C-alpha cells in the first residue's frame, strides 16, 4: 500500500511545529527546535513510506513470525479445492477430485466404517491420536506413549496416552501417563522423548503449551522406578526447564529429542524450530536435565524448509547390521538428522557427519539435505521418532499414520489415526545415501496360513488373481523379474516420470506399471495397486519407480485419490522385491528391502470383508513379468486394555 | 549562518538515527491496522469476503495474523451455526423426500463443521500448531462443498447463499492459518 501523501516540504508544514511559525523569527534556539521537529516529521513519513512498500511482500510483523521469505504470489488466490497446493497438508489436499464432481460425500454405513479398524496396527480404542512419544524398552516391556485426544476423533485437548508390549506387536492399553494439569502444559501435553540414564533410570523431556500458549520444555520421570509398567509419572516441580530462547518465537519451540552423551560427559539434546522460513535444530547441553546451556549456532539449518517438528538425531553403523545407542560415535558411524516439515507434512532424513566439539552436523550430500531430499515414507507418515532398543540391539522407528478420509467420516466411526508397524532402521551400505526400514521381525508371530506362488507369468496387459482366501490381513513378500529382452529392446525416451504426476496404473509404459492389486473386488471396480514402473532414459539407463495408486481405491469421492511414490535405487543384479502389509484400511509397502517405503490409507466400500481380493497385474505394453510370492494370512494382535488383575505377565 | 547549517546537519543525523531505531513493525501495527487486513486477505482466495468479514470485527484493527485467523474462525463459526439453524428449520417444513434427504445430509456436514472443524481450528491457532487448523478449515470447506453437491439435481437450493459463504470463508480461514506455518 503506497502512502500517497506527498513528502512534506521542509518549510511549509509549520503546522506540525509545536513552537509555532511566529516564534521562528524570535529566537535562534526556537529555530533549531523547529528544524529538528520538521526533520523528525520528514523522517517519520519517509520511514512510513518505505515500510509500506516493504510490507507488500512481508506483511507479517517482526515480533510475531518475521517477514515471510517466500513471495506472497506463490500462495495468493489459491482455491482450496484444486490440485496439490504448495505447502498445504496432504489431508487438506484430499478434496473432491474434479472428475468426481457429480458424486456426493459417500454415505458410509457402519459395516464399511467398522471394517476400517485395523487388526494388528497400534491404535487406541477410540478417538484421535497423533505423534508417537517417548518410546523405550524398560524392565522387560516396550513402552509406547502417544498424543491423544480423550474427547473426540479430531485433534485437540492433547494428553499422553500409554501402552505396553512384550514384543512391539501385542499392545496393552494403560491409563493416561500425563494430562494437562499444570500451568506449563495446560494447553497441551505435547511431544517428547525418553532418555535412559546409565543407572537405568528414565527421564522424559516433553513440550508443554502453557496457559499463555507459549511452548516450553518440561521434565518428567516415573513416580516409581521399580514399576515395570511405569504407570504413574511425576512432573519436575521446577518446570519448565527450557523456555524459547531469544530470537525464537513462542510457538516455534517444540519436540525435544532423546539425549546423547558428549565427550565432556554432558547430555546433549536438540529441539526443532525456525527463523523466518529456515528450519533449524537448536542444541542444548545439560548435566542434570534441569539446567541447560544453549550452544552457539545450530545443529543444522536448511533454508525454505519452514518449521522443523519432531527432530530426531541418531547414529547408524556403516558396517554392522545392528542399531546403536544414541550416544555412540566414531569413525564407523554416520549420523542421521530427521525433521518433520510442518509446511508439507512429510518426514525427511539425511545422512551425514556429526561434529561433536561444536555440536554441528554436515550432510554427506547437500543436494539431499534435510527437508529437500529423501523421505522415510512417500505416503501418509509423519512425526516419526526412533529409539534404541537395548533389548535387541536395534534402532526402531515409529511413525504416525493419519486418516485420508473426511473428518465427518472420522466423527462417524469415532476414531482417527493409527501407528505404523514399528520398523528397524539400518544404513543401506550398498547405496550409501539411504536408510533401510523393515517391519520388526516380531510381526512374523502373527503369520497364520501361508500360500506360495512360483514364477507366475503375467503377460503385458493382464491381471492374475491370487487365491489366498480373505485378503484384508496379509503379509506379502514378492519378487518380480521383468522380461530381459523387453528391457533391452525398448527404446528409451527423455520423458520424465513421477508417480504423483502420472496417470496411475492406467498410464501404460513399455516396462510398467506392474505389481499387486490389493483390496480389490472381483470386478476391480475398487483396487489399490502397489507397483513398479521402469522408465528407460534416452541414454539407455533404467530408472525404477515404486508407487501406490489410490485413484481407484474406492468409489467414495470423499477420500484421498492421490498417487504416492518415488524413485527406488535398484542395483545391478538385484531382483525387484516387494513386501506389503495389508491390514484393513492401512497398506504398508516396502521396495528393495525397505529402501523406498509407502504407507497409504484405503477406504473401499465394496472391497471389504470377504469381497476383498488380491491380484497380480501387469499393465506394461511390451514386457511380461514373472512373479514369485509368499503370502501369509495375518492374525489379529488383539490390542486391548491391560488386564485388571494387576499381575504383570 | 554556519552555526545554523551545522546544527541542521546535526539534527538531520539525529533524526535519521532516531527513525532507524524506531521499530518499523510498531509503526505498521499502530498506524496501519487496516493494511494488515488487506495484505492478509490478498493471500486468500476470496479477497472481498475476507476483508468485509475481518473488518466487521473491531478487533481486526491492530490484530496480527494469528489474531486475524481467530477473528476469521469466529466469523465462520457464527455463519456455520446460523446456516445449521436454517437447515434445521427448513427440514421441519420440507415435504419433498429428495429435498429432505439433501437437507439431512447438509445437517450432518454442518454438524461436523460446527462441532469439530471449527474448534480444532481455534485450538490449533491459539496453541500454536497451525497445521491442524489448516486441516480443520479445509475440511469445513469440503463439508460445505458436499452439502452443495447434494442439491445439484434439485430445482431449488434454499441455503445456496449461506452455504457459499461458509465454503468461501472456510477457504479464507485455511489460507490465513496457512500463513502461520
Amino acid at each position: 500500500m503506497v502512502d500517497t501523501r506527498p513528502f512534506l516540504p521542509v518549510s511549509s508544514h509549520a503546522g506540525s511545529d509545536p513552537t509555532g511559525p511566529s516564534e521562528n523569527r524570535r529566537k535562534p534556539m526556537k529555530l533549531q527546535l523547529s528544524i529538528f521537529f520538521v526533520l523528525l516529521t520528514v523522517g517519520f513519513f519517509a520511514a512510513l513510506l518505505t515500510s509500506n512498500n516493504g510490507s507488500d511482500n512481508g506483511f507479517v510483523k517482526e515480533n510475531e513470525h518475521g517477514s515471510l521469505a517466500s513471495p506472497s504470489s506463490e500462495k495468493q488466490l489459491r482455491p482450496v479445492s484444486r490440485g496439490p497446493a504448495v505447502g498445504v497438508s496432504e489431508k487438506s489436499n484430499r478434496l473432491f477430485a474434479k472428475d468426481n464432481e457429480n458424486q456426493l460425500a459417500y454415505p458410509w454405513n457402519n459395516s464399511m466404517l467398522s471394517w476400517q479398524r485395523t487388526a494388528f496396527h497400534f491404535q487406541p480404542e477410540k478417538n484421535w491420536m497423533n505423534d508417537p512419544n517417548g518410546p523405550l524398552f524398560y524392565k522387560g516391556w516396550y513402552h509406547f506413549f502417544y498424543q491423544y485426544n480423550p474427547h473426540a476423533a479430531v485433534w485437540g485437548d492433547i494428553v499422553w496416552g500409554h501402552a505396553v508390549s512384550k514384543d512391539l506387536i501385542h499392545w496393552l492399553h494403560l491409563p493416561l501417563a500425563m494430562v494437562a494439569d499444570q500451568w506449563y502444559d495446560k494447553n497441551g501435553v505435547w511431544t517428547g522423548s525418553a532418555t535412559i540414564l546409565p543407572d537405568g533410570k528414565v527421564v522424559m523431556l516433553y513440550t508443554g503449551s502453557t496457559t499463555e500458549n507459549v511452548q516450553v520444555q518440561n521434565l518428567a520421570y516415573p513416580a516409581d522406578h521399580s514399576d515395570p509398567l511405569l504407570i504413574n509419572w511425576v512432573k519436575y516441580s521446577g518446570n519448565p526447564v527450557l523456555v524459547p530462547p531469544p530470537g525464537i518465537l513462542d510457538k516455534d519451540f517444540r519436540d525435544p529429542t532423546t539425549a546423547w552423551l558428549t565427550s565432556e560427559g554432558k547430555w546433549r539434546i536438540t529441539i526443532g524450530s525456525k527463523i523466518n522460513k529456515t528450519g533449524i535444530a537448536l542444541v542444548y547441553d545439560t548435566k542434570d536435565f534441569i539446567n541447560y546451556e544453549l550452544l552457539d549456532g545450530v545443529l543444522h539449518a536448511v533454508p525454505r524448509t519452514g518449521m522443523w517438528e519432531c527432530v530426531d538425531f541418531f547414529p547408524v553403523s556403516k558396517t554392522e547390521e545392528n542399531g546403536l545407542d544414541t550416544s555412540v560415535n566414531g569413525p564407523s558411524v554416520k549420523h542421521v538428522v530427521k525433521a518433520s516439515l510442518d509446511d508439507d507434512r512429510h518426514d525427511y532424513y539425511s545422512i551425514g557427519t556429526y561434529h561433536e566439539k561444536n555440536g554441528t552436523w554436515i550432510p554427506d550430500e547437500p543436494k539431499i539435505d534435510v527437508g529437500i531430499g529423501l523421505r522415510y515414507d512417500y505416503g501418509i507418515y509423519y512425526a516419526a521418532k526412533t529409539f534404541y532398543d537395548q533389548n535387541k540391539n536395534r534402532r526402531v522407528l515409529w511413525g504416525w499414520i493419519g486418516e485420508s478420509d473426511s473428518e465427518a467420516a472420522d466423527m462417524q466411526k469415532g476414531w482417527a489415526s493409527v501407528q505404523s508397524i514399528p520398523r528397524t532402521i539400518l544404513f543401506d551400505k550398498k547405496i550409501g545415501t539411504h536408510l533401510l526400514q523393515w517391519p520388526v521381525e516380531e510381526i512374523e508371530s502373527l503369520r497364520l496360513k501361508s500360500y506360495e506362488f512360483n514364477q507366475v507369468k503375467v503377460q503385458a496387459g493382464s491381471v492374475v488373481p491370487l487365491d489366498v482366501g480373505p485378503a484384508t490381513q496379509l503379509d506379502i513378500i514378492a519378487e518380480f523379474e521383468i522380461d530381459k529382452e523387453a528391457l533391452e529392446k525398448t527404446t528409451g525416451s527423455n520423458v520424465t516420470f513421477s508417480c504423483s504426476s502420472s496417470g496411475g496404473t492406467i498410464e501404460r509404459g513399455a516396462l510398467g506399471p506392474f505389481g499387486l492389486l490389493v483390496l480389490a473386488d472381483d470386478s476391480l471396480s475398487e483396487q489399490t495397486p502397489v507397483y513398479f514402473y521402469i522408465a528407460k532414459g534416452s541414454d539407455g539407463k533404467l530408472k525404477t519407480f515404486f508407487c501406490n495408486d489410490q485413484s481407484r481405491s474406492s468409489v467414495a469421492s470423499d477420500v484421498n485419490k492421490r498417487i504416492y511414490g518415488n524413485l527406488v535405487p535398484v542395483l545391478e543384479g538385484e531382483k525387484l522385491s516387494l513386501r506389503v502389509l495389508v491390514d484393513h484400511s492401512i497398506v504398508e509397502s516396502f521396495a528393495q528391502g525397505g529402501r523406498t517405503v509407502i504407507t497409504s490409507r484405503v477406504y473401499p466400500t465394496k472391497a471389504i470383508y470377504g469381497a476383498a481380493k488380491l491380484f497380480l497385474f501387469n499393465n506394461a505394453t511390451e514386457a511380461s513379468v514373472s512373479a514369485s510370492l509368499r503370502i501369509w494370512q495375518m492374525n489379529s494382535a488383539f490390542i486391548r486394555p491391560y488386564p485388571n488383575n494387576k499381575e504383570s505377565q | 549562518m554556519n552555526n545554523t547549517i551545522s546544527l541542521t546537519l546535526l539534527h538531520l543525523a539525529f533524526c535519521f538515527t532516531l527513525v532507524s531505531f524506531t521499530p518499523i513493525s510498531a509503526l505498521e501495527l499502530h498506524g496501519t491496522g487496516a493494511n494488515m487486513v488487506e495484505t492478509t486477505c490478498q493471500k486468500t482466495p476470496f479477497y472481498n469476503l475476507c476483508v468485509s468479514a475481518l473488518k466487521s470485527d473491531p478487533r481486526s484493527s491492530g490484530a496480527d495474523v494469528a489474531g486475524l485467523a481467530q477473528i476469521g474462525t469466529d466469523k465462520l463459526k457464527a455463519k456455520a451455526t446460523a446456516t445449521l439453524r436454517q437447515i434445521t428449520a427448513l427440514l421441519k417444513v420440507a415435504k419433498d423426500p429428495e429435498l429432505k434427504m439433501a437437507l439431512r445430509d447438509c445437517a450432518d456436514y454442518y454438524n461436523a463443521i460446527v462441532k469439530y472443524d471449527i474448534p480444532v481450528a481455534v485450538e490449533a491457532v491459539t496453541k500454536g500448531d497451525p497445521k491442524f487448523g489448516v486441516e480443520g478449515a479445509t475440511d469445513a470447506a469440503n463439508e460445505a462443498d458436499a452439502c452443495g453437491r447434494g442439491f445439484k439435481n434439485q430445482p431449488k437450493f434454499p441455503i445456496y447463499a449461506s452455504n457459499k459463504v461458509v465454503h468461501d470463508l472456510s477457504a479464507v480461514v485455511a489460507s490465513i492459518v496457512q500463513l502461520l506455518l
Side-chain angles (χ1 to χ4, degrees):
Chain A
M1 289 301 191
V2 175
D3 183 346
T4 53
R5 278 173 296 179
F7 267 101
L8 303 164
V10 171
S11 55
S12 74
H13 218 72
S16 71
D17 176 2
T19 62
S22 54
E23 299 188 69
N24 283 350
R25 293 172 219 113
R26 272 195 244 130
K27 294 175 191 179
M29 196 51 208
K30 291 278 159 93
L31 178 64
Q32 314 308 336
L33 220 51
S34 61
I35 291 174
F36 170 76
F37 280 112
V38 160
L39 289 171
L40 192 65
T41 317
V42 169
F44 183 91
F45 284 117
L48 204 63
L49 190 77
T50 48
S51 76
N52 277 340
N53 281 333
S55 72
D56 280 348
N57 289 324
F59 66 87
V60 181
K61 299 176 346 297
E62 300 291 6
N63 67 347
E64 186 62 32
H65 290 283
S67 56
L68 298 178
S70 49
S72 56
S73 55
E74 266 184 1
K75 297 184 179 173
Q76 240 176 12
L77 302 182
R78 181 193 63 243
V80 170
S81 319
R82 308 286 165 246
V86 169
V88 181
S89 76
E90 277 192 0
K91 193 169 163 86
S92 48
N93 270 332
R94 120 323 284 140
L95 303 175
F96 305 114
K98 271 187 281 194
D99 35 53
N100 284 314
E101 255 170 32
N102 288 325
Q103 287 176 277
L104 308 176
Y106 201 79
W108 296 101
N109 64 34
N110 280 334
S111 168
M112 295 167 188
L113 292 178
S114 53
W115 174 88
Q116 290 174 9
R117 223 165 141 88
T118 67
F120 52 88
H121 281 74
F122 180 82
Q123 51 182 133
E125 295 180 283
K126 57 179 180 156
N127 292 339
W128 166 276
M129 163 174 67
N130 54 294
D131 305 3
N133 295 157
L136 73 153
F137 180 82
Y138 185 79
K139 288 200 190 318
W141 290 95
Y142 286 98
H143 288 261
F144 180 68
F145 302 89
Y146 54 98
Q147 298 281 279
Y148 178 63
N149 183 347
H151 305 130
V154 290
W155 181 83
D157 296 343
I158 295 293
V159 296
W160 273 39
H162 185 192
V164 288
S165 167
K166 285 289 190 181
D167 63 358
L168 289 172
I169 297 293
H170 296 87
W171 293 94
L172 301 168
H173 296 303
L174 288 177
L176 300 178
M178 292 197 287
V179 297
D181 57 5
Q182 303 296 323
W183 68 267
Y184 50 75
D185 59 20
K186 196 90 189 115
N187 278 323
V189 189
W190 288 355
T191 292
S193 310
T195 305
I196 303 183
L197 305 179
D199 63 1
K201 291 210 161 61
V202 178
V203 293
M204 196 75 82
L205 283 173
Y206 72 97
T207 300
S209 183
T210 71
T211 45
E212 304 300 307
N213 295 306
V214 177
Q215 293 168 8
V216 299
Q217 316 311 323
N218 303 308
L219 171 65
Y221 44 88
D224 177 6
H225 265 105
S226 65
D227 171 20
L229 297 180
L230 298 179
I231 293 193
N232 296 303
W233 288 77
V234 170
K235 297 176 185 175
Y236 170 58
S237 57
N239 276 332
V241 295
L242 278 174
V243 299
I248 297 299
L249 300 172
D250 289 351
K251 295 185 167 84
D252 292 342
F253 186 60
R254 52 188 183 270
D255 314 331
T257 62
T258 294
W260 65 93
L261 284 165
T262 68
S263 56
E264 294 174 16
K266 294 188 202 166
W267 290 101
R268 180 167 285 174
I269 62 167
T270 180
I271 303 179
S273 183
K274 68 172 157 103
I275 294 185
N276 297 337
K277 270 316 209 177
T278 296
I280 63 173
L282 301 164
V283 188
Y284 288 89
D285 280 1
T286 179
K287 291 201 185 125
D288 54 8
F289 289 91
I290 293 169
N291 300 292
Y292 294 79
E293 66 176 275
L294 174 63
L295 264 60
D296 277 330
V298 294
L299 180 71
H300 195 55
V302 181
R304 288 182 301 279
T305 51
M307 175 71 188
W308 284 11
E309 300 191 289
C310 301
V311 168
D312 198 4
F313 178 73
F314 56 89
V316 287
S317 170
K318 289 201 290 193
T319 53
E320 307 309 304
E321 305 277 305
N322 49 258
L324 299 174
D325 179 286
T326 317
S327 297
V328 167
N329 200 357
S332 64
V333 161
K334 297 243 66 143
H335 277 80
V336 177
V337 171
K338 168 260 169 186
S340 293
L341 293 200
D342 208 7
D343 281 2
D344 68 7
R345 289 273 246 187
H346 298 313
D347 280 1
Y348 292 84
Y349 73 88
S350 187
I351 303 176
T353 307
Y354 170 49
H355 295 283
E356 207 253 343
K357 278 283 158 344
N358 56 6
T360 60
W361 171 93
I362 318 263
D364 287 345
E365 305 273 340
K367 284 213 172 78
I368 47 172
D369 204 344
V370 180
I372 61 173
L374 300 171
R375 285 164 52 180
Y376 272 147
D377 191 302
Y378 290 88
I380 304 234
Y381 192 85
Y382 196 67
K385 184 181 289 298
T386 64
F387 74 102
Y388 173 61
D389 170 10
Q390 73 274 27
N391 182 39
K392 289 202 168 176
N393 204 12
R394 55 186 173 180
R395 181 153 290 268
V396 178
L397 171 73
W398 282 95
W400 164 43
I401 318 294
E403 301 291 316
S404 63
D405 62 356
S406 72
E407 259 157 8
D410 294 347
M411 237 176 81
Q412 216 182 324
K413 70 196 192 196
W415 62 272
S417 300
V418 302
Q419 297 290 330
S420 73
I421 295 295
R423 303 170 182 171
T424 52
I425 287 233
L426 286 174
F427 175 66
D428 186 348
K429 291 185 278 200
K430 297 182 195 158
I431 304 284
T433 47
H434 285 57
L435 293 173
L436 294 171
Q437 301 165 59
W438 198 246
V440 290
E441 58 183 6
E442 286 92 332
I443 198 177
E444 295 168 24
S445 70
L446 296 177
R447 288 174 171 172
L448 300 169
K449 182 164 180 183
S450 77
Y451 299 79
E452 215 169 296
F453 300 86
N454 275 315
Q455 309 276 353
V456 178
K457 193 108 192 232
V458 192
Q459 300 291 355
S462 64
V463 171
V464 174
L466 295 170
D467 188 5
V468 296
T472 54
Q473 290 171 212
L474 299 173
D475 184 358
I476 306 170
I477 293 193
E479 256 179 15
F480 292 87
E481 266 183 276
I482 189 169
D483 166 21
K484 286 203 173 55
E485 224 182 291
L487 267 183
E488 277 155 35
K489 282 204 323 211
T490 304
T491 43
S493 83
N494 264 332
V495 179
T496 48
F497 177 88
S498 95
C499 298
S500 52
S501 60
S502 73
T505 44
I506 54 175
E507 185 180 302
R508 308 183 68 181
L511 307 171
F514 59 88
L516 290 164
L517 298 178
V518 303
L519 297 172
D521 65 330
D522 272 323
S523 66
L524 300 182
S525 65
E526 290 183 335
Q527 50 173 277
T528 301
V530 176
Y531 60 99
F532 292 101
Y533 184 99
I534 302 178
K536 191 174 192 180
S538 44
D539 57 359
K541 285 215 180 104
L542 297 171
K543 274 192 175 156
T544 309
F545 293 85
F546 179 52
C547 321
N548 176 316
D549 178 359
Q550 295 186 110
S551 59
R552 289 176 292 167
S553 61
S554 175
V555 301
S557 59
D558 54 347
V559 299
N560 192 321
K561 297 287 181 88
R562 294 165 84 195
I563 302 158
Y564 300 133
N566 200 42
L567 203 59
V568 57
V570 177
L571 295 171
E572 194 72 47
E574 273 183 2
K575 289 210 183 98
L576 292 177
S577 73
L578 187 55
R579 182 169 184 188
V580 185
L581 293 171
V582 180
D583 184 6
H584 297 260
S585 62
I586 183 171
V587 178
E588 290 188 67
S589 313
F590 302 79
Q592 302 311 100
R595 212 172 266 159
T596 298
V597 185
I598 308 173
T599 301
S600 67
R601 301 302 307 278
V602 186
Y603 309 95
T605 63
K606 295 188 213 146
I608 59 178
Y609 298 110
K613 308 272 191 241
L614 181 67
F615 298 83
L616 276 170
F617 84 97
N618 177 3
N619 215 19
T621 54
E622 287 175 30
S624 65
V625 298
S626 111
S628 297
L629 309 103
R630 271 200 84 183
I631 302 171
W632 291 264
Q633 289 290 335
M634 293 295 269
N635 202 356
S636 164
F638 301 110
I639 296 172
R640 64 201 185 281
Y642 193 88
N644 263 337
N645 58 17
K646 291 192 182 149
E647 281 168 23
S648 50
Q649 306 283 324
Chain B
M1 192 54 188
N2 279 337
N3 259 348
T4 312
I5 290 174
S6 55
L7 273 163
T8 307
L9 288 171
L10 198 67
H11 286 315
L12 218 89
F14 181 75
C15 290
F16 281 120
T17 317
L18 193 75
V19 162
S20 63
F21 278 121
T22 307
I24 303 297
S25 54
L27 294 176
E28 284 180 13
L29 175 61
H30 301 299
T32 57
N35 248 349
M36 177 67 73
V37 170
E38 273 125 13
T39 41
T40 306
C41 288
Q42 269 167 6
K43 293 165 203 258
T44 72
F46 302 102
Y47 177 79
N48 291 321
L49 173 65
C50 176
V51 170
S52 68
L54 295 180
K55 281 197 173 162
S56 69
D57 188 317
R59 294 177 293 167
S60 64
S61 65
D64 57 13
V65 181
L68 293 179
Q70 279 169 0
I71 294 170
T73 330
D74 285 347
K75 280 275 170 282
L76 178 58
K77 179 175 183 177
K79 226 19 191 124
T81 315
T83 311
L84 179 55
R85 261 185 267 122
Q86 232 189 317
I87 296 169
T88 324
L90 284 167
L91 259 171
K92 286 206 183 101
V93 298
K95 298 271 185 346
D96 175 55
E98 298 219 341
L99 175 62
K100 278 178 99 96
M101 198 163 70
L103 283 172
R104 246 180 256 126
D105 286 343
C106 284
D108 284 343
Y109 302 138
Y110 272 80
N111 255 324
I113 295 176
V114 171
K115 220 178 153 205
Y116 291 99
D117 294 331
I118 295 174
V120 168
V122 169
E123 186 167 347
V125 171
T126 39
K127 295 180 185 179
D129 203 346
K131 62 181 182 287
F132 295 111
V134 175
E135 194 169 295
T138 310
D139 198 80
N142 284 342
E143 310 285 4
D145 237 354
C147 167
R149 248 176 288 235
F151 283 91
K152 208 149 182 166
N153 300 319
Q154 298 277 334
K156 278 193 279 189
F157 186 1
I159 49 163
Y160 170 77
S162 15
N163 188 56
K164 179 154 184 11
V165 170
V166 170
H167 171 272
D168 295 353
L169 197 49
S170 300
V172 163
V173 170
S175 300
I176 300 178
V177 178
Q178 173 82 15
L179 300 169
L180 297 173
L181 281 178

